[in-house]
Amino acid sequence: MGIEIALYDGRPNSGRATGLLHLSVDHGGALAEALAAHTGPADHRLGRIAPYRDTHLGEQDAAAAFEEATALLARCTTEAQRAAVRDLRNLLANCAATPGSRICFIGD
């Protein structure tokens, strides 16, 4: 079980051309573990990410999720989880800074 993260310059499968800006596949298992162990319904955006389905966030949600990911980083218990959440934070920051972009969490 793992979660891959794709950053697009627009909404994937929207009928218009979109480009893949970045694909993160290196930390899928550790990210799934960190999210399962350290998030809940109170973590509004990160709590919606499920390991068995795809979840999309726009640039505004990504900006808010960045704050949640910062809190998540402090709760991680292994270096693998910390590396996964640092990667997540970088992609969320890039999404938040790129107008019209989308981030997609790709579950198994």
Side-chain angles (χ1 to χ4, degrees):
M1 168 180 68
I3 299 171
E4 297 176 348
I5 308 170
L7 177 61
Y8 295 94
D9 64 359
R11 177 178 224 116
N13 303 320
S14 66
R16 71 172 186 85
T18 60
L20 178 65
L21 300 175
H22 186 82
L23 179 64
S24 175
V25 296
D26 296 332
H27 304 287
L31 179 60
E33 290 172 8
L35 290 170
H38 305 293
T39 61
D43 299 313
H44 179 67
R45 287 148 191 97
L46 295 183
R48 291 188 296 182
I49 299 168
Y52 301 109
R53 63 177 166 78
D54 295 352
T55 306
H56 298 262
L57 299 178
E59 65 189 271
Q60 293 171 339
D61 280 331
F66 179 85
E67 299 304 322
E68 294 173 16
T70 299
L72 174 62
L73 182 60
R75 294 189 303 266
C76 288
T77 55
T78 68
E79 184 53 39
Q81 288 179 0
R82 286 187 287 276
V85 174
R86 283 192 296 269
D87 187 43
L88 169 63
R89 288 178 72 237
N90 288 338
L91 289 170
L92 289 168
N94 287 338
C95 184
T98 306
S101 64
R102 306 279 300 172
I103 193 165
C104 179
F105 299 89
I106 306 163
D108 284 338

